[in-house]
Amino acid sequence: MKIADFEVGLDRPFFLIAGPDTLESMQLCLDVAGHLKEVTDRLGIPYVFKGSFDKANRTSVKSYRGPGVDEGLEILTAVRDQIGVPVLTDVHEDTPLDAVAEIVDVVQTPAFLCRQTNFIQSVARLGKPMNVKKGQFLSPWEMRTVVEKARAAGNEQVMCCERGYMFGYNNLVADMRSLAIMRETGCPVVMDATHSVQLPGGQGDSSGGAREFIPVLARAAIAVGVAGLFTETHPEPEKALCDGPNSMRLADMEGMLETLVEIDRVVKC
């Protein structure tokens, strides 16, 4: 399959989906996208900017959810046009899907909604590449039926995204076998190395995380062989309005990506 002007697949160099968990200010998003474009251009990594305009799955009703659809699409349009990169955002059951599809290059479906048949098929009918997050409650082999739902609606441009599995209370684990198992769907597989270190609800009224393990999971996933890597990143994760504890520090992205490029070349040579 293709995203914008590059091909996605296990036999291709890995591509990067990265950006802040939730869209904050216009300037922050432009800064993050601009920095990552410079780094990825130098390293030869195809890059897609990620940012959410509304995060429905929040621990607390007081949690920041994003700027909303109108301002969010304005920010995504600016990133796409000014920085010159494809953009991705996630959608929900009450999202104006057609308006989003006019702007974004990839539509992402949240993990908790992966079993909602009507939702998956409504997104599939947009005809856009889909990044389908595997639910924390779902085995990797169950993603086959999720993919079948999207394909039955006429969309073959489907990616499967691993983001960890529930392991007791407030904890996730990443099973690297799932990356190989989900390849059996025939879809490109993406590893979300940041949500996989999340500690859901771990801080009581918000989620925690262990960002020190992001490079560990990223290196392991690239060594297994994946089509893409998903990482949330922020200049100052401690000040991020959403998911800071499981966001990669922006200044640390370049070093990690340099290592991942070398691993990817060995694995796919």
Side-chain angles (χ1 to χ4, degrees), residues 106-160:
V106 184
V107 183
Q108 181 169 281
T109 57
F112 280 123
L113 296 179
C114 70
R115 290 291 295 271
Q116 299 299 103
T117 302
N118 290 349
F119 171 70
I120 291 294
Q121 294 198 318
S122 293
V123 176
R125 291 188 188 100
L126 295 174
K128 291 280 184 174
M130 297 173 61
N131 189 38
V132 181
K133 289 285 194 78
K134 179 181 75 64
Q136 303 92 318
F137 48 86
L138 210 67
S139 64
W141 44 87
E142 289 176 276
M143 282 295 284
R144 174 183 58 82
T145 59
V146 179
V147 170
E148 287 175 353
K149 292 175 182 179
R151 288 174 172 162
N155 196 334
E156 297 288 336
Q157 303 179 90
V158 183
M159 297 178 285
C160 294

Side-chain angles (χ1 to χ4, degrees), residues 251-264:
D252 296 335
M253 286 289 292
E254 184 169 9
M256 181 181 74
L257 291 172
E258 288 175 340
T259 300
L260 298 181
V261 166
E262 294 302 316
I263 296 173
D264 193 58

Side-chain angles (χ1 to χ4, degrees), residues 54-90:
D54 181 26
K55 298 288 285 189
N57 173 31
R58 297 296 83 193
T59 303
S60 169
V61 71
K62 299 177 182 178
S63 298
Y64 177 71
R65 290 183 53 167
V69 62
D70 293 335
E71 184 179 348
L73 291 180
E74 182 181 348
I75 292 173
L76 291 168
T77 299
V79 169
R80 184 196 64 195
D81 294 346
Q82 295 183 37
I83 307 302
V85 295
V87 295
L88 171 153
T89 197
D90 43 8

Side-chain angles (χ1 to χ4, degrees), residues 13-79:
F14 81 92
F15 74 99
L16 176 69
I17 300 171
D21 176 87
T22 307
L23 298 171
E24 296 183 14
S25 69
M26 173 79 77
Q27 192 57 56
L28 181 139
C29 293
L30 290 171
D31 290 345
V32 169
H35 175 78
L36 289 175
K37 186 175 190 303
E38 290 180 7
V39 170
T40 54
D41 280 353
R42 181 177 70 80
L43 295 175
I45 303 171
Y47 169 52
V48 178
F49 175 83
K50 180 267 175 182
S52 301
F53 57 78
D54 181 26
K55 298 288 285 189
N57 173 31
R58 297 296 83 193
T59 303
S60 169
V61 71
K62 299 177 182 178
S63 298
Y64 177 71
R65 290 183 53 167
V69 62
D70 293 335
E71 184 179 348
L73 291 180
E74 182 181 348
I75 292 173
L76 291 168
T77 299
V79 169

